[in-house]
Amino acid sequence: MLLASAVVVWEWLNEHGRWRPYSPAVCHHIEAVIRSEPRGGSVVLGQVDSRLSPYIIDVHSMHQFRQDTGTLRPVRRSFYDPSSAPGQGWLWEWENDAGSWIAYDTEVGIAIQAARDRQQPWLDLAPLGFCYLIDFESMTQINGQTQRCRRIQRRSDLAYPLVSGPLPKSHHAWGPASIPGQPCACQQCMLVLSLKAGTMPTAHTLGRRPPQTKPPSPKLNSYPIPGSSYSLTLPRPPSLSSRSLSPHRTSGFGATVSSSGAAACAAPLPPRSSLAGLSRPALQRIAMAQSRALIASGVPTVPVKNLNGSSPVHPALAGITGILMSAAGLPVCLTRPPKLVLHPPPVSKSDIKPVPGLGHCCRKTTKKQARKGKTPEEVVKRYLQKVRNPPEEDCTICMEALAGPSGYKGPGVGGISRAESVGRLAQCGHQYHLQCLVAMYNNGNKDGSLQCPTCKTIYGVKTGNQPPGKMEYHVIPHSLPGHPDCKTIRIIYNIPPGIQGPEHPNPGKPFTARGFPRHCYLPDSEKGRKVLRLLLVAWDRRLIFSVGTSSTTGESDTVIWNEVHHKTEFGSNLTGHGYPDPGHLDNVLEELRAQGITEEECLPRD
């Protein structure tokens, strides 16, 4: 048995396939919960960070669960040397366009700190998979392709939790006389169990493939550790004996239920050593195995949800059920979710076909042309009916009485006679000060349309402020999950960065366009083609995208989605933006209807 010390960093997998670290405080909280509940369960992240209140970590399945959406993301428990940046409490960050500081991935931060400790003038991040150069003298990050510079900083924070414990050197760690069944909760047994046979394959981080190891033998798993004279040779977990309370059985949802008795542990302890001599792949193998330390072979589990989609139970319901059972003291294991599949298999040009009923496969938009002729007052009056005796109600725009003057005092509105001071929208009947409606129109796109601020009824043809770009669409010979009987419509949006126009939040200022081209998917069914035709109308009216602040990254002055949801995952639904989703097409039709685009406008175009 080998004693070792390391700092633990808990990380989650984002939609780009990168492992992002939780903060040191959150990692301390997770470790504390694990120590207080040796059998595992759920970790509520909102208890330590209010910004993470929707999130819960299911320790058994090693997934982060979002309670309000049911979204599941893999998490992992990684080990690093105590002398590295996480162990010393150093956090490296870069500044985004909004002026916010974003932490680097753990491995990148470690590499930057190590280079600084060696007093290097600069560090090339290309070996880690990033086209950036770190200049320590100017404390900037330089893009190797665009030469764009961003500020970086090193911030002192709480050090990540330090753990120490035995690492098994051979199969004798189990002891020949050990009693089969559930082991005790001592640190030694927990770590031995974490390195049991059948662990997950090593995760590939930052695009680098770890060295290949020999396949395990039928009875023993051997993990060679580079730079040392020994390997980790582990036996299979003890199987259930006749003393077991019940044999293994598989539930209808695909989860395994088992129970067993207690066990003893005893093993000699060799001299203490550190993890400094272990390579990163070896540390990853240990970390990925130890992340499942709390799933002992004899711990009873309750079947909740087969997350590969074969069960009708919704992921959110499954997660909530698991949380309730965990709170009642019942360990709950969620079965493994599907892998993230963003794109379909490669498709040759000859296999790409036009969408039936559409004689074209591309649509472009250009800069918005300024409307001439009618004044704002003339546009608003077109949709209003005069109100001679205003009711004793407040105008919901300025919150002043309709019988009195408008509360709007800003520019852009001329004098309005008393007889015309209040108007009723012809279709919905809601009443407002004419001066307030004109001010609201002047603050919008000024496209000749008006939208009731109370019920959202649209008068005229609503258009948006989507920047110029291109929309491509075609059929590929693959089926979406939940739509096995039809092919797939692939939509490709491409919008380049540019300069904001008068209809945008900050005219004259540059805007960014992240993540383009963006690939989206619809089933090639009758309803899917109807949705596509309506999306074409929305694209022509510049309603698919907008310029604003990203709710995901916090970046301002960037291209964002404009309240019409798209599916960007092809073969999975791990992020909530994929299939199967039986109500997606109907939801999109409702969202388009809210933008003033109805099914009457989806007639086939030449």
Side-chain angles (χ1 to χ4, degrees), residues 202 210-218 220-225 231-232 285:
T202 303
Q212 297 293 325
T213 59
K214 295 181 180 180
S217 64
L220 297 177
N221 284 352
S222 297
Y223 297 108
I225 300 181
S231 64
L232 302 179
R285 280 194 292 273

Side-chain angles (χ1 to χ4, degrees), residues 296-319:
S297 59
V299 173
T301 60
V302 180
V304 174
K305 162 71 177 173
N306 186 352
L307 294 174
N308 61 14
S310 61
S311 165
V313 182
H314 191 274
L317 177 59

Side-chain angles (χ1 to χ4, degrees), residues 319-570:
I320 297 252
T321 305
I323 295 165
L324 294 175
M325 291 182 173
S326 178
L330 296 173
V332 178
C333 287
L334 302 179
T335 54
R336 184 179 300 175
K339 294 181 180 179
L340 183 67
V341 182
L342 291 177
H343 302 293
V347 179
S348 64
K349 289 185 177 180
S350 60
D351 290 331
I352 296 177
K353 306 296 181 183
V355 179
L358 296 176
H360 42 74
C361 61
C362 181
R363 191 71 62 88
K364 295 183 178 180
T365 56
T366 57
K367 291 185 177 180
K368 181 178 180 180
Q369 301 296 322
R371 292 177 177 265
K372 298 179 180 180
K374 295 183 181 295
T375 65
E377 291 87 347
E378 291 174 332
V379 172
V380 171
K381 287 180 180 179
R382 190 193 333 171
Y383 307 118
L384 289 180
Q385 299 171 345
K386 293 181 180 180
V387 177
R388 297 186 181 276
N389 299 309
E392 295 183 1
E393 299 176 359
D394 291 341
C395 171
T396 56
I397 298 177
C398 69
M399 302 309 295
E400 298 289 343
L402 287 172
S406 168
Y408 178 75
K409 306 299 182 184
V413 180
I416 296 176
S417 66
R418 176 74 176 177
E420 297 179 323
S421 63
V422 177
R424 179 190 297 109
L425 289 172
Q427 187 175 340
C428 64
H430 290 110
Q431 301 179 36
Y432 306 95
H433 288 121
L434 175 59
Q435 199 169 359
C436 293
L437 287 174
V438 172
M440 184 182 73
Y441 179 83
N442 282 329
N443 288 329
N445 289 331
K446 304 177 191 176
D447 57 1
S449 70
L450 190 69
Q451 188 168 16
C452 174
T454 300
C455 65
K456 307 304 180 185
T457 300
I458 296 174
Y459 296 83
V461 178
K462 179 182 178 180
T463 60
N465 62 4
Q466 175 181 292
K470 183 170 68 172
M471 174 184 179
E472 299 178 73
Y473 39 92
H474 48 251
V475 176
I476 57 176
H478 299 290
S479 298
L480 293 166
H483 300 274
D485 299 329
C486 60
K487 297 179 181 179
T488 297
I489 298 172
R490 178 167 60 185
I491 305 172
I492 304 176
Y493 294 110
N494 203 348
I495 295 179
I499 304 297
Q500 298 182 53
E503 72 274 21
H504 293 134
N506 297 296
K509 185 177 179 180
F511 67 85
T512 59
R514 310 292 186 192
F516 288 94
R518 299 187 184 182
H519 291 227
C520 308
Y521 305 95
L522 291 169
D524 186 26
S525 60
E526 182 179 353
K527 183 176 285 189
R529 291 191 287 269
K530 178 192 296 183
V531 169
L532 174 62
R533 293 190 183 100
L534 290 178
L535 288 176
L536 288 173
V537 177
W539 174 264
D540 292 339
R541 297 181 185 176
R542 306 173 70 204
L543 293 169
I544 300 292
F545 296 96
S546 181
V547 174
T549 300
S550 170
S551 60
T552 304
T553 64
E555 181 182 9
S556 58
D557 299 309
T558 189
V559 179
I560 58 176
W561 292 106
N562 187 36
E563 300 180 2
V564 179
H565 284 82
H566 287 64
K567 294 295 188 181
T568 54
E569 280 185 72
F570 174 80

Side-chain angles (χ1 to χ4, degrees), residues 212-252:
Q212 297 293 325
T213 59
K214 295 181 180 180
S217 64
K219 295 183 179 181
L220 297 177
N221 284 352
S222 297
Y223 297 108
I225 300 181
S228 62
S229 59
Y230 62 88
S231 64
L232 302 179
T233 306
L234 306 173
R236 293 179 179 178
S239 59
L240 290 177
S241 67
S242 58
R243 304 180 191 180
S244 299
L245 298 179
S246 62
H248 279 77
R249 68 179 186 273
T250 302
S251 72

